[in-house]
Amino acid sequence: MDRDPKAVRLHAPATAKAPALVLRPWRPTDAPELAALHRDEELRRWIRSVVDGEAEAERWVREQERGWHEGDRFAFAVGEEGARCGPGEVAAGERLVGHVVLKRPAPGGPSGEVGYWTAAHARGRAVAPRALDALTSWVFDAFEEYGLVRLELLHSRDNTASCRVARKCGYPLTAHLPAAPPHFPRDGHLHTRLLTS
């Protein structure tokens, strides 16, 4: 598996209502837009690592780059292809609309964890399920030879939107989890997808 983030670019097809998506590793130039996206209170309610301001966004992006190089976290910025030029654009024809990630608590182990979020301005356009499908396919292709056969997806029990995304992408609910503060302060759901699924 190529750990050079510049070599990895994933795609998700357009829908009747939304442009195609491109998934690529986060870049330092994304920090200003990342900071702006994290001002959304709905997003902040559900994610564990909230970014406050551009300096913190720059540190967060550096941490994602470190994860790629060390092989324990593979984070992707999700952009819409062919989006109009304007505020929020990070590259010609591309606008940030979300994030997906593979976290491997034990690199070389049989399982990993996936996560995602969608920017406020892009909700309702099936960004999360399309991005998660693209990530899932890539993970099972890229990591099968390293023994990864199971993906887990965790979310707060009251996050019904995340539950719908998980089920839509073939991650059935496999367990109810009690709260485990401080990192998981609410009761949760565990969804699991196996390589054979």
Side-chain angles (χ1 to χ4, degrees):
M1 203 282 297
D2 191 345
R3 286 199 188 150
D4 178 4
K6 293 176 188 149
V8 181
R9 203 168 163 89
L10 312 178
H11 297 272
T15 69
K17 297 179 181 179
L21 301 176
V22 60
L23 287 67
R24 47 102 179 137
W26 287 91
R27 301 185 289 238
T29 55
D30 295 327
E33 182 61 9
L34 176 65
L37 295 177
H38 273 244
R39 290 187 199 119
D40 172 40
E41 288 303 318
E42 183 67 13
L43 175 64
R44 295 168 73 91
R45 177 180 176 198
W46 301 117
I47 62 176
R48 289 185 231 171
S49 52
V50 174
V51 168
D52 283 315
E54 201 169 316
E56 201 167 304
E58 289 169 359
R59 283 191 295 275
W60 186 89
V61 170
R62 283 194 303 274
E63 181 62 18
Q64 308 321 300
E65 292 174 327
R66 183 217 51 82
W68 273 91
H69 293 294
E70 294 189 15
D72 61 5
R73 184 178 181 90
F74 300 88
F76 292 86
V78 180
E80 284 184 334
E81 290 185 329
R84 253 180 341 148
C85 296
E89 184 180 51
V90 295
E94 181 186 305
R95 183 177 185 199
L96 284 178
V97 293
H99 164 77
V100 290
V101 62
L102 165 68
K103 297 176 261 184
R104 296 205 65 198
S111 67
E113 180 185 344
V114 294
Y116 48 86
W117 53 257
T118 301
H121 66 82
R123 291 188 189 126
R125 298 205 295 260
V127 168
R130 290 186 293 145
L132 180 58
D133 276 341
L135 177 71
T136 300
S137 294
W138 175 76
V139 168
F140 283 141
D141 285 345
F143 292 92
E144 181 180 11
E145 67 182 276
Y146 299 100
L148 192 147
V149 295
R150 173 188 169 102
L151 290 175
E152 297 177 343
L153 188 159
L154 297 110
H155 64 81
S156 296
R157 187 174 66 185
D158 52 346
N159 188 341
T160 56
S162 253
C163 206
R164 283 192 304 271
V165 169
R167 290 174 193 257
K168 184 175 184 176
C169 293
Y171 287 77
L173 179 63
T174 51
H176 293 270
L177 305 172
H183 297 296
F184 212 69
R186 300 180 185 105
D187 289 348
H189 283 174
L190 170 65
H191 296 260
T192 305
R193 181 158 168 184
L194 302 177
L195 177 60
T196 55
S197 299

